[in-house]
């Protein structure tokens, strides 16, 4: 049997969530973000792309504008007003120095103690292959968390280096270790995902009910976390 999940630490005040696409956070972390902002913590979002390749029936330029608006609306539902986009190309995000550099710059600006990202592993818990965008973004986040504190890495970026990242929490990981109780924020988690209306419609009728899958996931995590509705994370300490 899998070991019980531990409570994610709360001894931090600022977080930066860095993911590849609009909707990534809503599928695995938004309920936790709502719990954190309700507790007075500050959370900012950084999206590597605008998700312009995510809606088959919508041209990329139109989709980018629609998905940016949906992401801002979704973030506001869980108490996040600071949402930035990097404009790397959706579907072909490349791991490398340019991506590390952009994320490092954001970490130095926001000076978070906790960074949240999405599954960087090759596979999901189901065994299905993960997408390159998720893998490359997640790996760049892990590296940039260290780059941000080294003044001789990207020295031209400014501002001052930030070595205060204490934790990286990976949502959607196939090897979770910690969890956040979202009993009181489950409705907000659902509403934040529902805000991605055009994207969900593009996925087809199977996504007409997002409450069911989100609740099932939270209950499954809760089986390892005292029976409470929960979101699970792989926690990496720095």
């Amino acid at each position: 049997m899998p070991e019980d999940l531990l409570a994610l630490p709360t001894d931090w005040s600022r977080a930066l969530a860095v993911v590849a696409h609009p909707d990534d956070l809503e599928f695995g972390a938004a309920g936790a973000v709502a719990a954190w902002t309700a507790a007075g913590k500050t959370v900012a979002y950084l999206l590597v792309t605008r998700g312009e390749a995510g809606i088959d029936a919508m041209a990329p330029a139109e989709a980018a504008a629609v998905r940016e608006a949906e992401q801002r609306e979704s973030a506001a539902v869980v108490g996040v007003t600071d949402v930035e986009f990097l404009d790397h190309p959706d579907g072909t995000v490349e791991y490398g120095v340019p991506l590390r550099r952009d994320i490092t710059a954001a970490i130095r600006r926001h000076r978070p103690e906790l960074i949240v990202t999405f599954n960087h592993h090759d596979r999901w818990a189901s065994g299905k292959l993960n997408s390159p965008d998720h893998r490359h973004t997640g790996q760049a986040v892990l590296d940039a968390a260290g780059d941000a504190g080294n003044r001789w890495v990207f020295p031209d970026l400014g501002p001052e280096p930030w070595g205060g990242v204490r934790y990286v929490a990976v949502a959607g990981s196939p090897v979770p270790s910690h969890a956040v109780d979202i009993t009181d924020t489950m409705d907000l988690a659902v509403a934040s995902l529902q805000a991605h209306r055009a994207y969900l419609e593009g996925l087809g009728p199977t996504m007409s009910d997002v409450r069911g899958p989100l609740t099932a996931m939270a209950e499954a995590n809760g089986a390892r976390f005292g029976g409470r509705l929960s979101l699970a994370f792989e926690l990496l300490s720095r």
Side-chain angles (χ1 to χ4, degrees):
M1 292 291 292
E3 294 183 2
D4 287 346
L5 299 170
L6 303 174
L8 195 84
T10 58
D11 56 343
W12 54 272
S13 59
R14 295 184 306 278
L16 176 65
V18 186
V19 295
H21 314 109
D23 80 79
D24 284 351
L25 287 165
E26 287 66 47
F27 275 106
V33 172
W36 295 331
T37 59
K41 299 182 185 298
T42 300
V43 182
Y45 284 4
L46 180 70
L47 287 298
V48 169
T49 79
R50 294 179 192 266
E52 67 273 10
I55 303 177
D56 183 68
M58 190 178 291
E62 180 184 1
V66 168
R67 299 203 67 195
E68 176 183 344
E70 290 183 342
Q71 181 62 79
R72 294 188 185 281
E73 179 184 347
S74 174
V77 169
V78 294
V80 175
T81 57
D82 193 342
V83 182
E84 302 175 12
F85 295 83
L86 291 179
D87 283 326
H88 286 255
D90 184 18
T92 57
V93 173
E94 294 183 333
Y95 173 84
V97 171
L99 182 56
R100 282 173 51 195
R101 177 186 173 88
D102 286 347
I103 298 171
T104 295
I107 294 171
R108 289 178 180 172
R109 286 197 310 273
H110 290 280
R111 307 177 83 77
E113 298 137 290
L114 170 71
I115 295 178
V116 178
T117 192
F118 207 39
N119 183 15
H120 62 284
H121 296 282
D122 289 341
R123 296 179 182 272
W124 300 99
S126 66
K128 290 185 177 180
L129 289 172
N130 194 4
S131 82
D133 281 5
H134 296 151
R135 291 188 282 109
H136 296 166
T137 297
Q139 187 60 58
V141 168
L142 298 181
D143 294 338
D147 295 338
N150 188 331
R151 70 175 59 255
W152 307 122
V153 176
F154 311 125
D156 58 317
L157 275 180
E160 279 294 299
W162 174 247
V165 176
R166 300 175 60 198
Y167 310 108
V168 179
V170 183
S173 170
V175 287
S177 56
H178 290 67
V180 175
D181 185 340
I182 62 165
T183 303
D184 295 334
T185 57
M186 188 71 215
D187 288 344
L188 293 174
V190 172
S192 71
L193 181 52
Q194 288 174 332
H196 293 274
R197 289 176 292 275
Y199 177 67
L200 293 174
E201 288 173 4
L203 293 178
T206 59
M207 295 305 298
S208 60
D209 168 32
V210 298
R211 181 178 293 275
L214 288 183
T215 301
M217 178 178 65
E219 290 175 342
N221 294 330
R224 299 173 58 189
F225 196 58
R228 294 165 285 178
L229 293 176
S230 310
L231 288 179
F233 297 85
E234 176 186 358
L235 187 67
L236 306 172
S237 299
R238 294 201 55 83

